[in-house]
Amino acid sequence: MKSLLGLSLSEIQEIVNQHGLPKFTAKQLTEWLYKKHCGSFDEMTNLSKSTRQLLSENYTTGYRNHITVQESKDGTKKYLFPGGDNFIESAYIPDKERATLCVSSQVGCKMNCLFCQTGKQGFQENLPASDILNQILNLPEYEKLTNFVFMGMGEPMNNYDNLMRTLNVMTSDWGLAMSPTRITVSTVGVIPYMKRFLEESKCNLAVSLHSPFHDERMKIMPVEKAYPIREVIHAIRQHDWSGQRRVFFEYIVFKGLNDTSDHIKELAKQLGSLRCRVNLIRFHNIPGVNLQSPTNEDMIRFRDRLNDKGIIATIRASRGQDIDAACGLLSTKEMNNL
């Protein structure tokens, strides 16, 4: 049956009209779904009994409870949700007054980046907007959330329509009424959809960079062949970055591979004058990948040398590593047998 979660007010209005229900039913439904987080038609008490029965017989709300949760010693929680016909993971990351949810957009990923556990899983399916939103709305800590990053499983731009449907619900007054500045969407640099995203959304953009050199980046990120990082950065430069919207570059640091003086010079050359921030992320070792994690001293030295070149760079703290919730570690390959 069709899920109502993820539908816009106008789409729900069409369903209401189709069944000859009172026009105001559409607003009632969006309030129950998006304001009150109601997962059952039976609990929508201001709808008539006949309306609730009709909806139950033809639709689902789209709410699906999480299956398991793991908690890290640092307070990070990793939730396992049903996603499409499979499973997905989301990471809840509390940090003082800030609480971030790392959201998944696909089951697995087809980008096959060398350093990413999700990529090792391969690609299963795109998540419908209902299952993307369900990670947010059905989270026990929802009321504590301040920020959202689409940096979980999958490449968001490869599920563009469902991504934009989700963002529409998140930022519309009839939906979750969130500020776009609280939402960041990550991409490896799928240029056509990235350009559309910049035009059609006001949310922040994060680009997985990881190396400024074409041949080197192609060895660890096959997408470089189709969308070279120089062309990705050029496309970003064409956009007007005035106002509060921000662009970030994610840079996983591999010891001795992409943290040399040459990398610093090339990063300064490519990113110079672009109003951006580089987030440095420590590589987390995964089985079968011959890449090394840098030391704390390596990370600090690299950050400081980038700052000296005029690039705003910060080190992102590794969170949830003990439960495989840190960057690049989300995977449900084994869980697909449940």
Side-chain angles (χ1 to χ4, degrees), residues 145-171:
L145 290 172
T146 61
N147 295 81
F148 304 84
V149 293
F150 285 74
M151 298 179 184
M153 299 174 65
E155 163 57 52
M157 299 300 169
N158 279 348
N159 190 13
Y160 187 78
D161 290 343
N162 286 313
L163 168 69
M164 295 305 293
R165 182 178 288 276
T166 299
L167 297 179
N168 184 40
V169 172
M170 293 178 72
T171 58

Side-chain angles (χ1 to χ4, degrees), residues 36 47 70 89 98 173 189 194 223 254 257 286 309:
K36 300 178 182 178
L47 301 182
Q70 294 175 265
E89 291 182 332
R98 184 185 180 103
D173 288 341
M194 184 186 75
V223 72
F254 310 104
L257 176 67
I286 60 176
K309 287 287 188 178

Side-chain angles (χ1 to χ4, degrees), residues 268-330:
K269 180 179 178 181
Q270 292 194 33
L271 301 182
S273 77
L274 181 62
R275 190 167 67 93
C276 65
R277 179 184 296 272
V278 176
N279 291 324
L280 301 177
I281 306 164
R282 182 193 311 278
F283 171 62
H284 302 111
N285 294 313
I286 60 176
V289 175
N290 189 27
L291 295 169
Q292 301 300 314
S293 181
T295 65
N296 288 335
E297 291 74 18
D298 293 332
M299 294 289 290
I300 293 170
R301 186 183 309 112
F302 192 57
R303 177 200 65 191
D304 291 348
R305 293 178 68 186
L306 286 171
N307 288 339
D308 289 343
K309 287 287 188 178
I311 297 175
I312 300 174
T314 57
I315 298 173
R316 185 194 292 170
S318 295
R319 300 290 301 276
Q321 191 170 358
D322 57 322
I323 58 170
D324 290 338
C327 181
L329 298 184
L330 296 183

Side-chain angles (χ1 to χ4, degrees), residues 53-102:
Q53 182 175 346
L54 182 150
L55 292 170
S56 297
E57 290 174 352
N58 293 277
Y59 305 96
T60 68
T61 61
Y63 276 80
R64 302 207 279 174
N65 290 332
H66 68 269
I67 300 167
T68 63
V69 59
Q70 294 175 265
E71 184 167 3
S72 166
K73 59 187 178 182
D74 64 24
T76 298
K77 292 183 180 181
K78 183 173 70 172
Y79 284 92
L80 177 68
F81 280 102
D85 296 322
N86 295 277
F87 303 96
I88 48 172
E89 291 182 332
S90 310
Y92 168 72
I93 310 166
D95 185 16
K96 299 178 182 177
E97 296 84 21
R98 184 185 180 103
T100 302
L101 182 66
C102 184

